[in-house]
Each structure stands twice: as C-alpha cells, then as structure tokens.
Amino acid sequence: MAYSAKSQALDMAQHTWDTSRYDITTPSSESLEATYAQPAQHFSFQDTGLAQQTDVDAMSQTAGVFEQQGPSGEWLHSAASITYTRRYIRLWLIVLTLIAVCNTTSLIGLHVSSLHKTDELISGLQSQMDEQASATPLIASRLLELEALFEEQTSRIVELELTLQRYRVDIVSLRNMAALHVNKTAVAALEASVDEQAQDIETLELQAASFVTSSQLDVVTNAMAEQGHQITTLQATSSVHETNISTLASAAAQHASSSRVSVLEAQSQYTVGLLADVSLTVGVPRIVDSNDDTGHHTSLALASNGFPVISYYDETNGDLKVAICENVVCSSPTVQVLDGSGTVGLYSSLALTAQDFPIVGYHDHSNRDVKLVSCLGPTCSSTATRTVDSNGDVGHYLSLALTSESFAVMSYYDWTNSALKLAICTDFSCTAPILRIIDNDGDVGHYTSVAITSDDYPVISYHDVTRTNLKLAVCTDATCFASAIRTVDSAGNVGGFTSLVLTPTGLPVISYDESVNGNLKLVVCGDATCSTSTTRVVDEGGDGWYTSIALASNGYPIISYYHLTNADLKLAVCHDVTCSSASIRVVDSGENVGLYSSLAITPDGYPIMSYCDFDNGDLKLAGGVW
C-alpha cells in the first residue's frame, strides 16, 4: 500500500536515529500535522518603495515528493530539505529586516536632522519675539503720545473752526450793517415818499368822505343825536365830578397837614384823569376775539397813538393772529391771520417799529422752527414771513425785542439740545440772522425774556431747570459773541414765567414765580450785570404764573400775573423802585382767566393787559384807567 507523507512523518517520528549531522530536531507528530495542515504562506516586507516577497510553496511541493515515493531513506533527505528551506527563509527574512531597519534608521536620521533645524528656527523666532516684546512698551508709549498729540491738535482745529465760523458770521453782520448804513439815505427818501403818499391817501379819504349819500347822512344825523344825548349825560356826570373836586379841594383847605393835602390832590388828579376819557369803562374787561378757543400766548404793545396791538395764538385753527385796535378800549379791532400754514403761533412775542409796523416772533409747532413775520404796514395787510432757525426743535418760550434800527432779536429754548439760544436779525426781514448758543450748561433756557440796552446789547432772563434757579445773561456786544451769565436767585425752585424790563439806566428788573411756596417774586439789579440785587416776595401765596412786567414813569414796577389757586388775573403795583410794598388787585375773575397775560403802560400812565379767558376761549383786554 502506498503511504502518505503524513503517515510517513508519523511512523518515522517513532524511530530513534541520529540527526546531529543535519543540525535539525525531529519534529513531533503534532508540529508536523500543523505544518502540513497550514496553507502556503507569503511574507512581505516593505520600506520606502522596496518590496520583497518569499514564496514557501516549496514546502508543499516537497511534501508531494514524499507522498509519491513512499517510506524510504529519502524521507530523511526530504526532511533535511525542509529544514534547509526554513533556514533559508529565516535568513532571508533577517536580511530583509536588516534592510528595513537600515532604511528606517536613515529616515529617522533625516527626521532628527529636520527636527534640529526646526528647533533652530523656533529658537530664532523666539528671539525675534523676545526682541519685539521688549520693544512693545516703547511703541505703546509712543502711540499714546501720538494719540494725545492728535487729540490736542484735533481740539485745536475744532476751536479754530469755531472761531473762523464766528469771524465769518461777524464779517457777514458787519457787511450787512455797512450795507444798511449805505442804504440809510435811500431808506430816508423812501420814508419821505411814504409820508407823502400817506398825505395823499388822507386827502383822498377826505374827498371820499365828502361824497355821502342822503341815507348815510340820515344815519350820521341819528348817530349825532344819540351822541348829543350821551354828551348831555356825560356833562351831568362831569358836573358831579366837578362837585367832588370842589369838595376835595375844600377838604384840602381844611387840613393843614401837607401829607393829607397830597393825598387829596392825587385823588383830584385821578378824577380829572377819569374825565379825560369817560368813554372807557373802568375795570370792565373787554372781549377782543372770541373763536371757540383763542387768545393763547398773547403779546401786547401800544402804538404811538396809545392804541393796543395784540398778537396771539388761535388754538381752534392753529393760526397766528393779530388784533389791531382802533381805540384805547379796542371796541372794534382789525383781526388778521398772520400765518395759517400748519400749527403756528405758539409763544408769540410782538413789538412795534417806529412806524408802528408790528413784528412777531413765534414757534412753528408743525415744523419745530423759529419764525418771524414782519408787517409791511400798521394794519398788517401785507407781510413778510421767514424761518429764522430750523436746527432741531427750537422756538419754545420765545421772547422778542427790537434794536434801535427795528431789527428783531429773539431769545428761545432749544428743546433738542436743552439750551438757551439767541437769534439776532441783521435787517428788517431777518434774511441773514446770527444764531448763538448762549447757555447749554444743563437743561437751561425755559421761560426766556429778552430786552435791549441803549447800545443794542441783548439781556436775557431765563430758568435753569437743572439747578431750579433764575439766571441772567448779559451780552457784551450787539451780536452776543460773548456774554456774562449770572445766577440771580437760587432760593428754592425759582425762575419760572420770567419777565424782564430795563430801567432807563439799563438795570435789569425781573418778575418771576417761586413754585415751591407759590410766590410772585421780583429782583431789582443794582448794576448792569446784576452782581448786586434786591429780591422781594411781592405776593406771598399768589403764585405768579405768566408774569408780565413794566415800569411806570416814576420807575416803579407794575406786574400782571395769573393766580393759579384762584384762577384769576391779578395786578401788583409797587410803591417804590425796589417794591418794598405793593398794592395787589384782582383785575378779572371767573372760572379760569388771566393766562398768558401781557402788560403795557398807556401814555397816561395806566396799566393795560391782554390775556386769555381759558374757560370761554376768548382773547380779552382790561385796564387803561384804574
């Protein structure tokens, strides 16, 4: 029978024989079985593209020879061949391993060299970083110095730009003033021409009056008869007053005391003054305009004939209006709408030129602007309207006064910047106004009131909301390039509803409200900048809203104001220049009257006031004779 290679291996493993000359060890049956059972093996070694492969299929081929030859002495030769082949393979594997190790060592050397170079590069970079780190504080210090220098130069540039802008404005102002002086002769000629035309108009009116129809003559005749009856009545009243005068004169003769005589003489003069205009109803207010809700923000001035002219805001229609009275009591006023474009006319402030042309400054609430309307005649039949300042929400608490050339100057509150501002017009229509920020230290500029000195320097009283003080700004030139600002009163929350007037010597006198105690107060400055002053409580507990001040011919202050507690219009007449005492009188009372009062003094020395009857929505006028 034929023997397989596996059977031969098992049988021969049981024999004992010398194998030392072959330098091999007889395998056990288990190892041989494992050897012949495993498949052909492949060994691969690869390093950087070098590949070596050894095929050991020769082992299987050798086993096949044993299987064909059967059991004989050749088995030993075949076993030795297997052992030799294994040794060859091991040797070859060692060689390949050495080659791989050599290649790996070479690569490691390259990597180590690269690492050394990297370390050197890192060391160089570290040195550079250390050098830069040491230089950084010096650079930072230099940068701070350069930044400080840049800020200083920037601030200087801003200051120079502001100075340049002021110089430009002043140059424009000087040019305008020069042009005005050049045109002065032409203006005088035009005024002369206007006077001639006015005379021609009067001549024509007289000629037209001569052409009266018969029906008109009847009306005139009846009116004359009625006037004759009234004259008879007034003559009777005059007789009564003459009797009173005689009685007072007799009483004066009976009293030797000079003070008593003076009082009686004053009473006699009062009665004579009353007879001078008996058509005026004493102490009875008159409605000037009634239109649902009108008469807000009134401003009163007297024409050269003593007749009132009043600007005011019509709340119903949102219009700026003016009432031009044709007599002292304003029984038949001419009412004109000066501006009806939107909601306009708040904080109206009026003054009259030497020719009695009304000029009104006011707040345009729709556009948040300061506007000025200049009437081109005494009745405002034609006007010129101009926007003076439109930089933000401006024109609150506006006050207007005129220079000696009848150019408008307006103080007002800039709501956007919480600042007191001033607009100085350089011509009649205010085509090129100079705008100044007078005070912006906090929230300042409420309840402004402006007056003009004999040198045309503006003076402004106002309320400092931040500090709850009364303040005064006195400009040092006509364009208010600079001003002296002073806190006049700081006792409590003071300075609301200010009204300013200047004495003939230029000393400011200011009426205002003290809100904490509800007092009407007055300050009389001792010099032009109010470095010294006398402060008075004129009406304790009388509130003092919407104050308006004027000076009598003797320099005694007279103040109209709204009494908040009783909701009526009051008048305070001081007994001396500093108002150490005063007579207080209720002028008009009702549900809610006396708001937005504006006061003037008639040529006869009597106070006259415009104001709002808030409950009935009327514009009213009171005074003239007291």
Side-chain angles (χ1 to χ4, degrees):
M1 84 185 270
Y3 291 89
S4 66
K6 182 178 180 181
S7 298
Q8 277 187 329
L10 292 173
D11 290 340
M12 294 300 296
Q14 297 175 0
H15 291 238
T16 302
W17 45 277
D18 185 10
T19 59
S20 60
R21 57 185 180 141
Y22 299 104
D23 194 20
I24 62 172
T25 303
T26 304
S28 63
S29 60
E30 290 81 1
S31 63
L32 289 173
E33 185 176 2
T35 298
Y36 286 98
Q38 65 185 359
Q41 300 182 20
H42 298 270
F43 300 92
S44 299
F45 301 92
Q46 184 175 356
D47 185 75
T48 64
L50 174 64
Q52 299 292 337
Q53 181 171 332
T54 304
D55 192 349
V56 293
D57 288 344
M59 295 170 61
S60 299
Q61 293 175 0
T62 305
V65 173
F66 295 149
E67 190 173 337
Q68 293 174 2
Q69 292 178 349
S72 66
E74 292 178 355
W75 187 90
L76 293 174
H77 178 71
S78 299
S81 297
I82 293 170
T83 302
Y84 175 79
T85 301
R86 288 178 175 172
R87 287 179 177 177
Y88 176 79
I89 292 170
R90 289 172 182 168
L91 179 60
W92 184 244
L93 292 174
I94 290 170
V95 171
L96 294 177
T97 301
L98 290 174
I99 293 170
V101 168
C102 289
N103 291 334
T104 303
T105 302
S106 176
L107 289 173
I108 290 172
L110 292 173
H111 286 300
V112 169
S113 176
S114 177
L115 288 173
H116 282 305
K117 291 181 179 179
T118 303
D119 288 339
E120 293 176 357
L121 181 60
I122 291 172
S123 298
L125 292 173
Q126 186 64 41
S127 299
Q128 294 179 4
M129 290 176 64
D130 293 339
E131 292 176 358
Q132 292 178 359
S134 63
T136 298
L138 296 175
I139 295 173
S141 176
R142 183 57 178 163
L143 284 175
L144 291 175
E145 293 176 359
L146 291 174
E147 288 177 356
L149 181 61
F150 177 75
E151 290 178 357
E152 182 180 353
Q153 294 298 326
T154 302
S155 177
R156 180 59 179 164
I157 289 170
V158 171
E159 292 177 359
L160 290 174
E161 288 178 348
L162 291 174
T163 303
L164 179 61
Q165 183 178 1
R166 289 175 179 174
Y167 283 141
R168 286 174 178 170
V169 171
D170 291 339
I171 288 170
V172 172
S173 175
L174 291 172
R175 286 176 177 173
N176 289 331
M177 292 174 68
L180 289 170
H181 286 297
V182 170
N183 293 327
K184 197 169 184 179
T185 304
V187 170
L190 290 173
E191 289 178 350
S193 177
V194 169
D195 292 337
E196 291 178 0
Q197 291 179 3
Q199 293 177 359
D200 293 340
I201 291 172
E202 290 179 359
T203 302
L204 291 173
E205 288 177 348
L206 292 173
Q207 292 176 355
S210 63
F211 295 99
V212 181
T213 62
S214 58
S215 58
Q216 289 176 328
L217 286 173
D218 292 338
V219 172
V220 171
T221 301
N222 293 332
M224 290 178 64
E226 184 178 352
Q227 290 293 327
H229 176 70
Q230 291 179 356
I231 289 172
T232 302
T233 303
L234 291 174
Q235 287 174 346
T237 305
S238 177
S239 299
V240 173
H241 287 300
E242 288 175 354
T243 302
N244 292 335
I245 292 172
S246 299
T247 303
L248 291 172
S250 299
Q254 294 174 2
H255 294 81
S257 172
S258 60
S259 60
R260 180 60 179 168
V261 171
S262 298
V263 172
L264 292 173
E265 287 178 350
Q267 291 177 349
S268 298
Q269 291 174 1
Y270 172 81
T271 306
V272 171
L274 178 63
L275 290 173
D277 189 357
V278 293
S279 63
L280 177 63
T281 304
V282 178
V284 178
R286 181 181 294 277
I287 296 174
V288 178
D289 189 6
S290 179
N291 186 21
D292 292 335
D293 190 7
T294 193
H296 296 234
H297 303 280
T298 78
S299 183
L300 168 70
L302 297 181
S304 56
N305 56 13
F307 298 166
V309 179
I310 312 166
S311 67
Y312 57 100
Y313 173 62
D314 183 342
E315 177 77 22
T316 302
N317 300 303
D319 296 339
L320 171 67
K321 299 174 77 173
V322 64
I324 301 166
C325 301
E326 297 180 359
N327 51 38
V328 176
V329 296
C330 207
S331 57
S332 56
T334 299
V335 176
Q336 302 276 15
V337 175
L338 297 182
D339 191 353
S341 57
T343 303
V344 294
L346 286 80
Y347 308 106
S348 81
S349 185
L350 174 141
L352 301 178
T353 69
Q355 295 78 26
D356 288 337
F357 294 2
I359 298 179
V360 185
Y362 57 100
H363 174 61
D364 181 340
H365 186 69
S366 296
N367 299 303
R368 313 290 180 176
D369 296 339
V370 174
K371 295 182 76 174
L372 183 77
V373 58
S374 302
C375 295
L376 304 181
T379 61
C380 285
S381 57
S382 60
T383 60
T385 304
R386 188 171 300 277
T387 298
V388 177
D389 188 359
S390 59
N391 300 311
D393 187 356
V394 292
H396 300 263
Y397 306 109
L398 185 145
S399 177
L400 176 143
L402 298 182
T403 67
S404 58
E405 295 180 297
S406 295
F407 298 163
V409 176
M410 291 175 283
S411 62
Y412 52 93
Y413 176 64
D414 181 341
W415 196 284
T416 301
N417 298 301
S418 302
L420 170 67
K421 292 188 72 175
L422 187 71
I424 303 106
C425 297
T426 56
D427 56 23
F428 178 76
S429 300
C430 206
T431 55
I434 299 172
L435 304 181
R436 303 284 196 203
I437 295 177
I438 305 301
D439 190 358
N440 59 357
D441 183 14
D443 187 1
V444 294
H446 290 222
Y447 305 109
T448 78
S449 183
V450 67
I452 306 296
T453 68
S454 58
D455 296 323
D456 285 339
Y457 295 177
V459 181
I460 312 165
S461 65
Y462 58 100
H463 178 52
D464 183 337
V465 177
T466 301
R467 300 168 184 83
T468 66
N469 294 338
L470 170 67
K471 298 180 77 173
L472 184 74
V474 181
C475 297
T476 58
D477 60 85
T479 64
C480 210
F481 184 79
S483 60
I485 296 176
R486 189 178 302 278
T487 297
V488 179
D489 189 358
S490 59
N493 190 351
V494 293
F497 303 100
T498 76
S499 182
L500 168 70
V501 66
L502 300 179
T503 67
T505 57
L507 305 183
V509 181
I510 312 168
S511 62
Y512 56 99
D513 174 57
E514 178 193 351
S515 63
V516 174
N517 299 310
N519 295 333
L520 169 67
K521 297 187 73 175
L522 178 76
V523 61
V524 181
C525 296
D527 53 45
T529 61
C530 214
S531 60
T532 62
S533 61
T534 302
T535 303
R536 304 286 192 191
V537 174
V538 179
D539 188 359
E540 186 173 359
D543 295 308
W545 282 27
Y546 303 105
T547 75
S548 183
I549 190 170
L551 299 180
S553 57
N554 54 12
Y556 297 177
I558 301 175
I559 310 166
S560 67
Y561 57 101
Y562 172 68
H563 185 215
L564 179 64
T565 304
N566 297 327
D568 50 25
L569 175 66
K570 298 179 75 174
L571 185 75
V573 181
C574 296
H575 297 159
D576 54 42
V577 174
T578 61
C579 207
S580 58
S581 62
S583 298
I584 309 295
R585 179 172 301 178
V586 175
V587 177
D588 193 0
S589 60
E591 294 294 331
N592 198 2
V593 295
L595 288 81
Y596 310 109
S597 76
S598 183
L599 171 71
I601 306 298
T602 68
D604 296 328
Y606 301 130
I608 187 168
M609 294 149 282
S610 62
Y611 58 97
C612 175
D613 181 341
F614 192 79
D615 185 59
N616 297 305
D618 298 335
L619 169 66
K620 299 181 77 174
L621 184 72
V625 175
W626 294 101

